[in-house]
Amino acid sequence: MGLRYSLIFALILSTFSHTAWAQDEMNYEDNYDPFADYSEFVEATSEEADINFFKYGRMLSVAGILGMHMHTGNLAKYNTRDPMLGISASYFFSLRFALQGTFYTTTHQQTIPDGATRINSRVRMNTWSAHAKYFLNTQNMTRSLGDLNPFILGGFSQIRRQTNTSFSVLQGLDGSFTYDVGFGFEYMFNRRRNFAGLTVLYHYANFPNENENIPSGSGGGGLTGVYLSGDVFWIGGNIGINF
């Protein structure tokens, strides 16, 4: 009798052990995370992205810029719109993302009314910029729009402004740190070795004297009633080479 009960107990214990092992195996399969665990699909996708980058992408691009430099607010009222000349270089981390450095220079003529006369100045502006550049996904766009490679960019700049005039109050060097936003496009040609495009960029500037009432050039403590407040923006065409 004792042998019989021992065999039954061993059979029950074996059954429960087999069931627990099967449940553990099912839980392991259910808890498998393709994003956290090793996956041949993820590796293949990453490899495909690398192949596309080296086949269709670019590591570095350099371009010359020619455009029109303008202001907003009162700066637009008293400063002329003038050409700008610059250069940019972009380093690409992927097909869509790059960091871009830019330098450009321009010179404006500034005219401030001062009673029956005017205060005439020559304002030279040199700008250094650093921007993040993101090219939009063109898969859902029409072919003609996709070929333009539209992008958005943002970052910051340092503007150095040199004012030359006989009026001592405005004479001198100043500048502004700016926050920038913009957009544009780049069209590839010559088997993607070269590109031509257009960029629109807005600088949120805060120049030192923009909240000051400009004194009169005639002396005597008089004021012109002019405040040189405003921001900076430009529209420029660029042509460059890819490496």
Side-chain angles (χ1 to χ4, degrees):
M1 181 70 73
L3 180 60
R4 181 186 302 175
Y5 287 129
S6 298
L7 292 175
I8 294 174
F9 178 76
L11 180 61
I12 295 174
L13 182 61
S14 175
T15 302
F16 276 110
S17 298
H18 178 75
T19 303
W21 177 83
Q23 289 177 345
D24 290 341
E25 185 179 30
M26 292 177 61
N27 289 335
Y28 173 79
E29 293 177 354
D30 292 340
N31 293 332
Y32 176 73
D33 187 352
F35 297 100
D37 300 328
Y38 172 80
S39 173
E40 292 183 358
F41 174 76
V42 173
E43 183 176 295
T45 302
S46 178
E47 183 178 353
E48 182 180 0
D50 292 338
I51 292 174
N52 288 335
F53 176 65
F54 286 108
K55 184 176 181 180
Y56 303 107
R58 40 191 170 157
M59 295 293 294
L60 179 69
S61 66
V62 179
I65 305 171
L66 179 63
M68 184 62 65
H69 193 267
M70 295 162 280
H71 296 85
T72 64
N74 283 344
L75 286 175
K77 184 177 180 180
Y78 302 113
N79 286 6
T80 57
R81 303 174 182 176
D82 293 281
M84 55 165 280
L85 184 66
I87 187 172
S88 68
S90 300
Y91 181 82
F92 286 80
F93 293 89
S94 67
L95 284 172
R96 295 197 183 117
F97 179 73
L99 291 181
Q100 177 172 287
T102 306
F103 169 78
Y104 69 84
T105 182
T106 184
T107 301
H108 297 278
Q109 301 300 320
Q110 185 179 87
T111 303
I112 298 176
D114 184 16
T117 62
R118 296 180 178 181
I119 301 173
N120 296 312
S121 305
R122 183 172 178 267
V123 182
R124 185 178 183 86
M125 303 178 72
N126 294 326
T127 304
W128 293 263
S129 304
H131 297 133
K133 193 174 185 179
Y134 181 77
F135 289 82
L136 303 179
N137 188 349
T138 59
Q139 290 182 352
N140 297 325
M141 299 182 183
T142 62
R143 181 180 178 84
S144 57
L145 183 59
D147 288 342
L148 293 179
N149 295 304
F151 63 83
I152 56 176
L153 73 163
F156 56 88
S157 297
Q158 179 64 52
I159 299 176
R160 301 299 292 171
R161 184 174 65 173
Q162 176 71 51
T163 304
N164 296 314
T165 179
S166 58
F167 185 37
S168 59
V169 174
L170 293 176
Q171 180 80 26
L173 178 67
D174 62 9
S176 174
F177 182 86
T178 72
Y179 297 97
D180 314 330
V181 293
F183 64 92
F185 67 85
E186 291 180 355
Y187 177 77
M188 305 294 173
F189 63 96
N190 192 21
R191 297 182 179 179
R192 303 183 66 87
R193 295 176 183 173
N194 299 95
F195 65 93
L198 183 74
T199 301
V200 178
L201 189 68
Y202 191 99
H203 299 272
Y204 291 93
N206 185 21
F207 293 104
N209 65 344
E210 66 176 23
N211 295 317
E212 298 177 6
N213 193 334
I214 303 300
S216 172
S218 60
L223 300 173
T224 62
V226 173
Y227 294 84
L228 297 177
S229 58
D231 296 317
V232 178
F233 73 99
W234 56 267
I235 301 174
N238 58 321
I239 186 168
I241 184 171
N242 297 317
F243 298 94

